Amino acid sequence: MRIALLTYSTKPRGGVVHTLALAEALATMGHDVTVGTLGRSGDRVFFRDVDPRVRLQVVPFPAGPDEETVGERIVRSIAVLRDGLDLDGFDIVHAQDCISSNACEGAVRTVHHLDTFTTEQLIACHDRAVREPAALVCVSKSVAAEVAREYGRVATVIPNGVDAARFARAAGETEDAMAARARWTDRLGRYVLAVGGIEPRKGTIDLLAAYDRLRSAPGTENVRLVLAGGETLFDYRPYRAAFDAMVAERAIPVTELGVVPDPDLPSLMAAAAAFSFVSTKEGFGLAATEALAAGVPVVARDLPVLREVFGPTVRYAADVDDIARGLRSAVGDPVDPAAGRALAARYSWPAAAAAHVALYERLRENAGGSPVGRTRRTSLHV
């Protein structure tokens, strides 16, 4: 099959990581796969090398005016992606987010999680991207149930894959693996790691408040909070300002690494004393699964979706006090990592790709062999 997978960015966000890994697994199965995306900030390639069997369509996305609002940037993103993509000749078009879904029609859409927005254009983008696609995929049963409850649509559940072996190797006893971890611990000491940037959905302020409690507890005074993160389309300046104000008011030491080069991420993860995953909304929990693969104890927000995915392999926390207690326990009394490693190893990209192919074949059969998905023919008015 000729398959187009669409995403909105070249940066290391969760949905982009998913798109590339799925594309490579499909290509390994022998399918002709193209990934289409917007090239923001002058990007012409993705944040990491991509299997050369996967074709790329990176549509240039020029910077907008200084006064451009989030809503205006969303509308412009959809229009630029729609006009720049060439979707002719594909058997399947599969969008991984609301922006790429709005750039096409009659396609497949993966709903990683449902969001709540206040910006009019984002609300419309998100809503259309669940209501209109020909078929929906969710990466967990919990999100599929939410989609059914709020939209009355049935989604096919296909769990994420995880490159568990890559993160397990980073935690290994080879000379290279130990040296890579030592480079991080020599620089950072003992640390709690969170990946994903400073934003409301990631619960970063809750983590900051919990860490403030942690650093005053006996035995954890020298544990550092380390944040690594990628770009977002959304404007979280008020949230960022509140975060910075708390840091300044309480003199909380925080190390922000920004975007970490992809080859360095496994060793950063494996060297951590604990991994914090306290998002308020998630679809699966890919980063936390990678941490488990590396043998790192995880403290996760107590969400139904995360209990579905992780079961008893992580510590759950419902509020700031819980997060602080969970981190203190994870750092001071880490559990045997074997169960977490075994769980991570069960989620494979080849299995996810095979399940996608089965869905694509059913959709094509239902369409009488006609293509599923195409470029949106008309402009959207929001």
Side-chain angles (χ1 to χ4, degrees):
M1 272 185 286
R2 289 200 68 206
I3 302 165
L5 300 181
L6 309 182
T7 186
Y8 73 99
S9 175
T10 57
K11 308 296 185 185
R13 302 292 290 182
V16 181
V17 172
H18 173 107
T19 304
L20 295 180
L22 176 59
E24 290 169 332
L26 289 168
T28 298
M29 294 178 69
H31 298 285
D32 185 345
V33 185
T34 295
V35 173
T37 190
L38 289 173
R40 303 176 188 280
S41 306
D43 285 355
R44 296 186 179 184
V45 295
F46 280 91
F47 68 93
R48 68 165 176 84
D49 293 338
V50 180
D51 188 320
R53 291 173 295 185
V54 176
R55 306 171 198 267
L56 302 180
Q57 286 189 34
V58 180
V59 179
F61 186 73
D66 291 341
E67 66 276 10
E68 184 177 49
T69 66
V70 172
E72 290 167 343
R73 189 160 72 252
I74 295 298
V75 172
R76 186 166 65 90
S77 296
I78 295 168
V80 170
L81 188 59
R82 180 201 68 210
D83 294 344
L85 286 173
D86 178 6
L87 299 181
D88 289 343
F90 287 100
D91 300 305
I92 295 287
V93 176
H94 186 164
Q96 296 289 334
D97 52 82
C98 83
I99 288 173
S100 61
S101 181
N102 276 257
C104 58
E105 59 188 4
V108 185
R109 160 85 201 284
T110 294
V111 181
H112 292 272
H113 60 269
L114 293 178
D115 268 314
T116 302
F117 297 114
T118 56
T119 302
E120 180 184 3
Q121 296 91 334
L122 263 174
I123 294 169
C125 176
H126 179 271
D127 190 65
R128 221 174 7 243
V130 182
R131 295 189 186 281
E132 291 189 359
L136 300 178
V137 175
C138 290
V139 293
S140 60
K141 294 177 183 176
S142 297
V143 176
E146 194 176 358
V147 168
R149 187 168 58 249
E150 296 193 19
Y151 287 88
R153 296 205 61 181
V154 176
T156 299
V157 177
I158 304 177
N160 248 323
V162 180
D163 190 353
R166 180 179 181 228
F167 288 84
R169 285 194 299 272
E173 298 304 314
T174 66
E175 184 176 338
D176 286 347
M178 291 189 291
R181 295 197 302 274
R183 284 193 288 272
W184 287 115
T185 53
D186 288 349
R187 172 182 171 186
L188 301 171
R190 296 181 75 207
Y191 59 91
V192 170
L193 177 66
V195 174
I198 298 170
E199 58 185 77
R201 186 175 70 83
K202 294 298 182 181
T204 322
I205 288 178
D206 280 357
L207 171 59
L208 182 68
Y211 170 71
D212 193 29
R213 289 163 171 73
L214 175 72
R215 71 192 181 103
S216 62
T220 56
E221 304 94 333
N222 296 322
V223 176
R224 186 175 296 195
L225 177 60
V226 175
L227 305 178
E231 75 153 15
T232 176
L233 276 176
F234 311 130
D235 187 352
Y236 295 133
R237 279 177 291 184
Y239 190 86
R240 176 68 205 225
F243 177 91
D244 289 342
M246 185 182 293
V247 167
E249 178 184 347
R250 303 184 189 179
I252 304 173
V254 180
T255 300
E256 294 182 47
L257 300 177
V259 177
V260 175
D262 187 65
D264 298 331
L265 183 60
S267 59
L268 172 69
M269 192 87 78
F275 187 80
S276 172
F277 197 73
V278 295
S279 304
T280 59
K281 283 263 189 180
E282 284 293 341
F284 180 85
L286 179 56
T289 315
E290 293 168 341
L292 290 176
V296 176
V298 172
V299 177
R301 182 82 66 172
D302 195 353
L303 303 177
V305 62
L306 299 185
R307 284 195 176 269
E308 173 194 335
V309 174
F310 298 125
T313 63
V314 306
R315 293 172 171 85
Y316 293 100
D319 55 26
V320 169
D321 286 337
D322 271 358
I323 296 169
R325 283 191 291 268
L327 290 175
R328 185 160 58 247
S329 177
V331 170
D333 185 23
V335 298
D336 185 337
R341 284 179 166 148
L343 180 139
R346 291 202 296 269
Y347 294 110
S348 78
W349 284 113
H356 279 84
V357 169
L359 172 63
Y360 297 159
E361 288 174 343
R362 291 197 301 272
L363 293 172
R364 289 196 67 211
E365 182 178 354
N366 293 340
S370 297
V372 176
R374 63 192 176 201
T375 303
R376 187 174 288 275
R377 292 176 175 174
T378 58
S379 298
L380 291 172
H381 300 284
V382 181

